[in-house]
């Protein structure tokens, strides 16, 4: 699961700096031990025969489940089956079926078997049932906004602008809405599914498509089969009018299921997938174990993406056209994340949600691994920092990575399991070295493949390869909470040629043991010293014959920590010029920014586009924004910079000068293939002539996304009238859900002041409320004040009918 926390957006929109993932602060964690689920019976094989009622949004199902007692003999079985209408439960004996006694509480089936079965003695049940997902009262989480398992999208085709689709979402335990099973992560089953659908649609499921049979009623039955065992939450069904774009890795089929208008660009979005498979195979030393790999994009999907075995489901944000892709593939890391789960999560599955780290921390870190391979270490380190900041801002420093006590399993899907866990793996890799790190991962995967794993088994895999004891590392990072907060000071003794590096841990709860490197620079030359931080205050003394230009603590910039470093301006200048890592240079640029130093301009020539862009944005807000030399440098970037987002930042900088001489530059770039560049250029033209910019905004609205869409929408909202409603509404509706659309929603509310048509007003209120609904459940209630504030005055201005409509919508 690739989840998206909207904490940062909501900080801005709601102003609640105490927001955090998990339950409301008033709810205390239940002190119930949450270990692995007991295995009384084991799933062996699942056979399903299903057909769909689109009018009712029901699924008619028949299931044959083969099971066996795990160890102790038993004559009972409990199955998860949520919100079903159970018609029949029998046991299959050759050609005979024998009815069984059972009770059902709408969540679980309690079945009395026909006899006592011994360990590993197989038996097969038949269950006839109806799944009614829309009748189920299911809640969600920060990662998954709903949990009703089976989703009918526009089933009666009432919305002419939306395709009709069906897709499933199993994690954590929601597939038992549409199939009776033991819906626990420590169960594994092979499967076969017969899906009967309208013949005009294609289907997708796990494993291989074995056959297709046309029926006499304009339907078709597709038979999918998975011969390898995997967890029930990874079972998947998808149905819809998709184009199937074929690709491959060696002899393994790789296919992309997309809406037909995206067929020409599907390989541009997903085309790195075969290369990713090869890269992950190489570093892990474990081949891709599954028979194929497909990816499908579903409308109204309730999370970022999901690693259903061989059939990953992506939300519609994955869709990007050729112009968007010129700015870089915004979905690349998600594609990598879900693929890597096919080793960590699908092949070896977390044996309990408490140990979710062995799934999600690895998938999170796979994004770094792919970025490093494909785009370089600077790009990967930038992503690493963003994820670390995501954890630090989540206020989650009281949560253990492996958590056996939590209120709800959904709470595990947070910035600790993802962001922090990924950074812990980065520190571990930095400590043991690449060779030992990847051999240890190979050891873990090969030992437990098609089984389950936990953090303790991962530790043993590392100890077996390295010969080291890692209890110290696991105890402080996996089985404990928090992170170090370091204060770093330096004392130079030129008379005796010594420098003291004093590192103080300022966090209150515990002392961390931290292996780090300290580099001593004289000019471009450096001497590396490996040391251990392990006390509340550690002092390290180094000799020198010439006073060092820089002492660089945590030279690899691998630590997950907060730090206050007392380096001087001269030290940071030296660090920017000679220390190699992205974070070395970023720390220096941040220091120059905070202290208002012109050395900030050094970043304009940095080798990495991301830092050039950051520098431009920082200079635009600085006292040097009118400096002639800096303006001239940014003019050069605006004219010739190959990175589109950096060039857009340069154009935005020149816009902020207010100089009309840049009008030709804006005109030249407003038709650029990049939405970022075109949007920045259009904003420049609007700043010089708002009326002309308004006319251009109407012109470009037909093909506007990203930055260009934001600029166009802002111009139309501020300058436009009611006759622009359709253009504005379409632009908003076509923007995928995310932080960009959340921001747009409040602009739409402001625009409605100009609209007189009550039907239009209500339609837009519904569209804005749909955005609110898509905000993860944990933050949705917090968003109410922000939305009420946005709507304040609109109801009074438009009359009682609209005021009541707004209030009713807010209270839903």
């Amino acid at each position: 699961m690739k989840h998206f926390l909207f904490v940062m957006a909501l900080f801005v929109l709601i102003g609640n700096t105490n927001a955090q993932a998990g339950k409301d602060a008033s709810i205390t964690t239940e002190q119930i031990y949450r270990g692995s689920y007991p295995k009384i019976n084991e799933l062996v094989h699942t056979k399903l025969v299903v057909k769909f009622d689109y009018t009712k949004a029901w699924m008619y199902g028949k299931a044959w489940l083969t099971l066996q007692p795990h160890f102790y003999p038993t004559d009972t079985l409990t199955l998860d089956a949520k919100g079903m209408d159970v018609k029949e439960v029998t046991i299959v004996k050759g050609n005979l079926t024998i009815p069984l006694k059972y009770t059902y509480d709408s969540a679980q089936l309690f079945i009395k078997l026909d006899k006592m079965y011994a360990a590993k003695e197989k038996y097969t049940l038949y269950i006839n049932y109806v799944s009614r997902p829309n009748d189920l009262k299911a809640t969600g989480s920060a990662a998954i906004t709903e949990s009703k398992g089976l989703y009918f999208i526009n089933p009666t085709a009432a919305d002419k602008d939306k395709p009709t689709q069906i897709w499933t979402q199993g994690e954590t335990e929601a597939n038992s809405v549409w199939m009776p099973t033991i819906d626990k992560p420590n169960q594994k089953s092979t499967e076969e599914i017969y899906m009967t659908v309208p013949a005009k649609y294609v289907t997708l499921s796990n494993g291989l498509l074995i056959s297709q049979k046309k029926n006499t009623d304009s339907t078709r039955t597709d038979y999918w089969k998975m011969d390898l065992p995997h967890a029930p939450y990874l079972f998947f069904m998808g149905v819809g009018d998709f184009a199937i774009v074929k690709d491959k890795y060696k002899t393994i089929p790789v296919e992309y299921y997309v809406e037909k208008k995206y067929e020409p660009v599907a390989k541009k979005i997903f085309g790195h997938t075969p290369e990713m498979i090869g890269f992950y195979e190489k570093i892990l030393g474990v081949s891709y174990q599954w028979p194929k790999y497909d990816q499908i994009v579903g409308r109204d999907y309730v999370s970022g993406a999901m690693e259903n075995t061989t059939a990953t489901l992506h939300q519609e944000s994955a869709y990007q056209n050729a112009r968007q892709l010129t700015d870089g593939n915004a979905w690349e890391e998600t594609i990598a994340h879900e693929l890597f789960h096919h080793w960590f999560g699908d092949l070896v599955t977390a044996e309990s949600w408490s140990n979710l780290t062995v799934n999600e921390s690895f998938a999170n870190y796979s994004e770094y691994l792919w970025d490093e391979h494909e785009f370089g270490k600077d790009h990967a380190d930038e992503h690493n920092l963003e994820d670390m900041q995501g954890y630090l801002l989540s206020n989650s420093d009281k949560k253990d990575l492996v958590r056996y006590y939590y209120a709800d399993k959904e709470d595990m899907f947070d910035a600790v399991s993802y962001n922090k866990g990924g950074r812990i793996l980065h520190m571990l890799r930095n400590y043991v070295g690449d060779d030992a790190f990847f051999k240890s991962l190979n050891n873990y995967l090969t030992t437990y493949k098609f089984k389950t794993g936990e953090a303790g088994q991962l530790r043993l895999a590392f100890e077996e390869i390295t010969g080291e004891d890692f209890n110290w590392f696991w105890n402080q990072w996996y089985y404990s909470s928090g992170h170090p907060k370091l204060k770093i000071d330096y004392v130079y003794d030129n008379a005796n040629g010594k420098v003291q590096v004093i590192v103080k841990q300022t966090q209150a709860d515990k002392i961390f043991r931290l292996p780090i490197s300290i580099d001593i620079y004289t000019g471009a030359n450096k001497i590396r010293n490996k040391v251990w931080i392990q006390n509340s205050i550690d002092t390290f003394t180094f000799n020198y014959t010439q006073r060092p230009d820089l002492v660089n603590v945590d030279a690899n910039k691998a630590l997950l920590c907060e730090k206050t470093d007392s380096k001087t301006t001269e030290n940071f200048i030296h660090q920017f010029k000679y220390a190699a890592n992205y974070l070395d240079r970023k720390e220096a640029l941040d220091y120059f920014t905070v202290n208002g130093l012109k050395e900030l301009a050094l970043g304009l020539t940095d080798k990495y586009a991301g830092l050039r862009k950051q520098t431009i944005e920082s200079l635009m807000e600085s006292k040097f924004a009118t400096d002639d030399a800096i303006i001239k440098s940014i003019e050069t970037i605006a004219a010739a910079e190959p990175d589109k987002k950096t060039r857009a930042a340069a154009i935005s900088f020149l816009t902020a000068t207010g100089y009309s001489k840049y009008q030709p530059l804006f005109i030249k770039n407003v038709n650029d293939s990049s939405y970022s560049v075109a949007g920045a250029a259009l904003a420049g033209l609007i700043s010089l002539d708002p009326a002309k910019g308004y006319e251009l905004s109407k012109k470009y609205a037909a093909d506007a996304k990203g930055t260009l869409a934001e600029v166009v929408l802002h111009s139309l909202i501020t300058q436009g009238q009611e006759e622009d409603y359709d253009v504005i509404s379409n632009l908003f509706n076509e923007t995928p859900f995310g932080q960009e659309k959340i921001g747009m929603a409040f602009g739409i509310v402001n625009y409605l002041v100009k609209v007189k048509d009550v039907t239009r007003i209500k339609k837009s209120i519904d569209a804005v409320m749909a955005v609110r609904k898509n905000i993860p459940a944990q933050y949705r209630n917090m968003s109410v004040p922000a939305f009420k504030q946005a709507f304040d005055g609109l109801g009074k201005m438009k009359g009682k009918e609209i005021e009541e409509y707004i209030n009713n919508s807010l209270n839903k």
Side-chain angles (χ1 to χ4, degrees):
M1 173 68 64
K2 172 74 174 184
H3 85 309
F4 298 96
L5 295 175
F6 289 93
V7 176
M8 289 302 293
L10 293 171
F11 280 165
V12 175
L13 298 176
I14 302 170
N16 185 348
T17 55
N18 293 317
Q20 55 183 301
K23 296 293 181 183
D24 186 273
S26 64
I27 300 175
T28 58
T29 301
E30 295 178 20
Q31 290 304 301
I32 300 173
Y33 179 73
R34 310 282 188 175
S36 58
Y37 293 97
K39 294 178 75 173
I40 300 170
N41 289 280
E42 291 179 331
L43 289 168
V44 177
H45 183 69
T46 301
K47 176 183 175 181
L48 300 171
V49 175
V50 304
K51 60 181 179 179
F52 305 97
D53 186 326
Y54 284 81
T55 302
K56 294 180 178 178
W58 288 2
M59 187 195 83
Y60 302 98
K62 298 177 181 180
W64 289 261
L65 304 180
T66 300
L67 305 102
Q68 61 188 17
H70 176 69
F71 183 80
Y72 297 106
T74 185
D75 62 353
T76 61
L77 169 67
T78 300
L79 293 175
D80 299 298
K82 299 183 179 75
M84 293 180 179
D85 182 4
V86 178
K87 303 290 188 181
E88 182 181 4
V89 179
T90 64
I91 193 159
V92 179
K93 298 285 188 178
N95 294 325
L96 298 176
T97 58
I98 302 172
L100 296 177
K101 294 181 179 180
Y102 67 91
T103 59
Y104 181 50
D105 66 1
S106 81
Q108 290 183 308
L109 267 173
F110 304 94
I111 302 169
K112 179 70 173 178
L113 301 176
D114 63 320
K115 69 167 193 170
M116 185 74 68
Y117 285 85
K120 310 305 179 186
E121 183 181 1
K122 293 181 175 61
Y123 60 90
T124 299
L125 297 185
Y126 166 74
I127 302 169
N128 186 357
Y129 63 97
V130 180
S131 170
R132 299 180 297 187
N134 290 343
D135 297 337
L136 184 71
K137 302 299 182 184
T139 58
S141 68
I144 311 163
T145 59
E146 291 183 311
S147 57
K148 59 184 182 181
L150 173 64
Y151 295 80
F152 288 80
I153 307 303
N154 195 29
T156 61
D159 186 342
K160 303 304 179 184
D161 298 323
K162 180 182 289 187
T164 296
Q165 297 176 355
I166 295 172
W167 46 259
T168 62
Q169 166 56 41
E171 195 172 39
T172 49
E173 296 172 11
N175 273 346
S176 49
V177 173
W178 60 273
M179 64 175 191
T181 188
I182 304 176
D183 205 355
K184 311 302 179 190
N186 60 349
Q187 292 282 341
K188 294 211 170 184
S189 171
T190 53
E191 69 166 285
E192 49 188 327
I193 300 181
Y194 293 81
M195 301 166 60
T196 297
V197 300
K200 62 183 177 180
Y201 295 144
V202 300
T203 68
L204 178 63
S205 190
N206 315 97
L208 296 175
L209 179 60
I210 303 301
S211 67
Q212 295 182 298
K213 177 187 173 183
K214 291 184 177 179
N215 303 315
T216 58
D217 59 353
S218 299
T219 66
R220 189 187 68 252
T221 300
D222 290 356
Y223 172 38
W224 291 87
K225 188 177 183 184
M226 167 68 90
D227 289 328
L228 298 171
H230 64 140
Y233 77 86
L234 297 167
F235 282 35
F236 175 76
M237 297 187 299
V239 183
D241 186 15
F242 295 100
I244 303 174
V245 178
K246 296 183 180 298
D247 208 343
K248 67 178 181 178
Y249 169 69
K250 295 181 178 178
T251 59
I252 297 172
V254 176
E255 297 180 349
Y256 318 124
Y257 286 61
V258 297
E259 293 173 33
K260 290 178 179 178
K261 69 178 180 178
Y262 288 99
E263 184 175 5
V265 79
K267 281 194 176 181
K268 293 181 186 294
I269 299 169
F270 298 107
H272 274 146
T273 301
E275 183 187 348
M276 287 179 182
I277 297 174
F279 169 64
Y280 289 144
E281 281 190 342
K282 180 179 179 181
I283 61 172
L284 296 172
V286 178
S287 62
Y288 181 81
Q289 298 288 301
W290 311 99
K292 54 92 169 169
Y293 187 56
D294 296 330
Q295 296 173 85
I296 185 170
V297 183
R299 286 291 188 102
D300 299 342
Y301 180 47
V302 294
S303 188
M306 179 63 205
E307 67 276 10
N308 311 296
T309 315
T310 76
T312 287
L313 173 62
H314 295 274
Q315 71 175 207
E316 60 198 275
S317 298
Y319 285 139
Q320 300 158 85
N321 64 28
R323 290 187 68 182
Q324 287 173 289
L325 290 165
T326 63
D327 287 334
N329 187 348
W331 212 247
E332 184 96 357
E333 287 155 353
T334 302
I335 294 167
H337 179 116
E338 303 308 330
L339 173 61
F340 204 68
H341 267 308
H342 282 70
W343 286 266
F344 290 90
D346 296 9
L347 183 60
V348 182
T349 307
E351 56 97 27
S352 69
W353 301 119
S354 297
N355 275 276
L356 184 65
T357 179
V358 297
N359 288 12
E360 293 301 349
S361 300
F362 276 102
N364 175 279
Y365 191 53
S366 75
E367 300 169 29
Y368 180 96
L369 295 172
W370 174 252
D371 283 348
E372 183 181 38
H373 168 77
E374 186 67 15
F375 306 112
K377 191 172 184 299
D378 282 346
H379 186 95
D381 285 347
E382 181 180 43
H383 184 59
N384 191 69
L385 176 63
E386 289 169 352
D387 266 4
M388 184 170 74
Q389 290 172 333
Y391 157 70
L392 294 174
L393 288 167
S394 71
N395 295 324
S396 299
D397 58 349
K398 301 301 181 185
K399 296 181 180 180
D400 295 351
L401 180 57
V402 178
R403 259 166 282 164
Y404 290 105
Y405 296 91
Y406 52 77
D408 190 280
K409 59 189 177 297
E410 305 297 339
D411 296 346
M412 291 299 300
F413 292 79
D414 61 10
V416 177
S417 295
Y418 288 76
N419 303 41
K420 183 181 182 182
R423 312 293 68 74
I424 289 168
L425 291 170
H426 188 58
M427 288 190 292
L428 184 60
R429 176 189 174 194
N430 181 71
Y431 175 69
V432 302
D434 278 12
D435 191 36
F437 182 76
F438 291 113
K439 283 184 178 177
S440 298
L441 300 191
N442 174 279
N443 186 20
Y444 171 80
L445 290 170
T446 54
T447 301
Y448 303 107
K449 68 178 181 179
F450 299 114
K451 299 178 182 178
T452 58
E454 61 173 80
Q457 293 167 327
L458 183 66
R459 175 181 64 82
L460 294 175
F462 271 84
E463 290 185 349
E464 184 177 358
I465 294 299
T466 65
E468 284 194 46
D469 179 272
F470 276 102
N471 277 294
W472 64 272
F473 188 92
W474 258 252
N475 287 341
Q476 75 181 11
W477 289 116
Y478 280 89
Y479 303 120
S480 189
S481 62
H483 55 274
K485 299 178 182 180
L486 307 179
K487 184 177 184 297
I488 306 169
D489 292 298
Y490 310 89
V491 177
Y492 291 89
D493 181 357
N494 291 331
N496 293 300
K498 296 180 184 298
V499 58
Q500 289 184 325
V501 180
I502 304 166
V503 182
K504 181 179 181 181
Q505 299 193 43
T506 63
Q507 69 279 356
D509 51 347
K510 63 176 68 67
I511 298 299
F512 284 82
R513 189 180 183 204
L514 307 170
I516 65 165
S517 296
I518 298 177
D519 285 351
I520 311 295
Y521 281 83
T522 305
N525 298 317
K526 70 179 180 184
I527 298 174
R528 173 151 295 186
N529 304 274
K530 294 186 176 182
V531 302
W532 287 79
I533 299 171
Q534 49 194 350
N535 300 293
S536 59
I537 300 178
D538 287 291
T539 301
F540 307 101
T541 302
F542 306 102
N543 297 322
Y544 60 81
T545 54
Q546 179 180 337
R547 182 183 172 107
D549 295 302
L550 170 66
V551 177
N552 195 17
V553 177
D554 183 27
N556 289 326
K557 296 296 180 284
L559 275 185
L560 168 58
C561 68
E562 296 177 72
K563 66 179 179 181
T564 303
D565 199 319
S566 62
K567 293 188 185 94
T568 66
T569 298
E570 290 73 20
N571 293 152
F572 275 116
I573 292 171
H574 201 86
Q575 179 171 312
F576 181 84
K577 290 181 177 179
Y578 294 104
N581 289 310
Y582 164 85
L583 257 179
D584 289 317
R585 286 133 52 213
K586 178 172 172 48
E587 284 178 357
L589 293 173
D590 289 346
Y591 175 85
F592 301 148
T593 299
V594 169
N595 289 278
L597 302 177
K598 196 173 181 179
E599 282 79 6
L600 174 59
L602 291 170
L604 293 175
T605 57
D606 192 87
K607 64 178 182 177
Y608 179 56
L611 286 178
R612 297 196 298 275
K613 177 176 177 288
Q614 175 191 319
T615 300
I616 293 168
E617 292 168 344
S618 297
L619 285 168
M620 186 160 56
E621 301 299 324
S622 76
K623 62 186 178 183
F624 307 111
T626 58
D627 183 275
D628 289 342
I630 287 174
I631 291 174
K632 187 172 182 60
S633 296
I634 292 176
E635 287 175 349
T636 301
I637 294 172
E641 167 66 47
D643 181 78
K644 296 288 190 176
K645 290 184 178 180
T646 304
R647 181 145 59 96
I651 292 170
S652 295
F653 180 101
L654 299 178
T655 295
T657 66
Y659 296 159
S660 61
K661 68 177 181 177
Y662 296 122
Q663 185 176 22
L665 175 71
F666 301 152
I667 292 171
K668 176 183 177 182
N669 284 281
V670 77
N671 292 306
D672 193 87
S673 60
S674 161
Y675 288 123
S676 293
V677 172
L682 179 58
L685 291 171
I686 291 171
S687 71
L688 296 176
D689 187 346
K692 178 65 175 177
Y694 164 63
E695 294 301 322
L696 289 172
S697 294
K698 289 196 287 187
K699 172 184 176 182
Y700 292 118
D703 180 19
K705 297 184 183 297
T707 302
L708 181 59
E710 292 179 30
V711 173
V712 166
L713 191 63
H714 183 264
S715 176
L716 294 179
I717 286 173
T718 55
Q719 299 286 321
Q721 299 300 321
E722 181 161 8
E723 57 264 28
D724 298 310
Y725 176 85
D726 288 338
V727 175
I728 292 172
S729 181
N730 290 338
L731 197 60
F732 178 66
N733 292 337
E734 290 176 5
T735 300
F737 177 73
Q739 294 190 20
E740 178 184 329
K741 189 158 189 169
I742 292 173
M744 286 181 173
F746 293 91
I748 291 292
V749 176
N750 293 332
Y751 167 71
L752 291 178
V753 172
K754 302 178 181 181
V755 179
K756 297 177 181 178
D757 187 298
V758 171
T759 302
R760 285 177 165 179
I761 293 173
K762 289 181 177 179
K763 183 178 179 181
S764 289
I765 290 171
D766 291 343
V768 171
M769 290 303 171
V771 171
R772 177 174 170 264
K773 180 183 176 183
N774 281 330
I775 294 172
Q778 272 69 11
Y779 309 118
R780 199 174 300 143
N781 288 337
M782 294 191 306
S783 73
V784 170
F787 280 94
K788 279 187 175 179
Q789 182 178 358
F791 281 113
D792 186 34
L794 179 64
K796 292 183 176 63
M797 182 176 293
K798 296 299 179 182
K800 187 174 181 179
E801 180 182 357
I802 296 300
E803 188 172 18
E804 289 180 353
Y805 195 83
I806 290 170
N807 290 333
N808 290 336
S809 298
L810 285 169
N811 292 328
K812 285 182 181 178

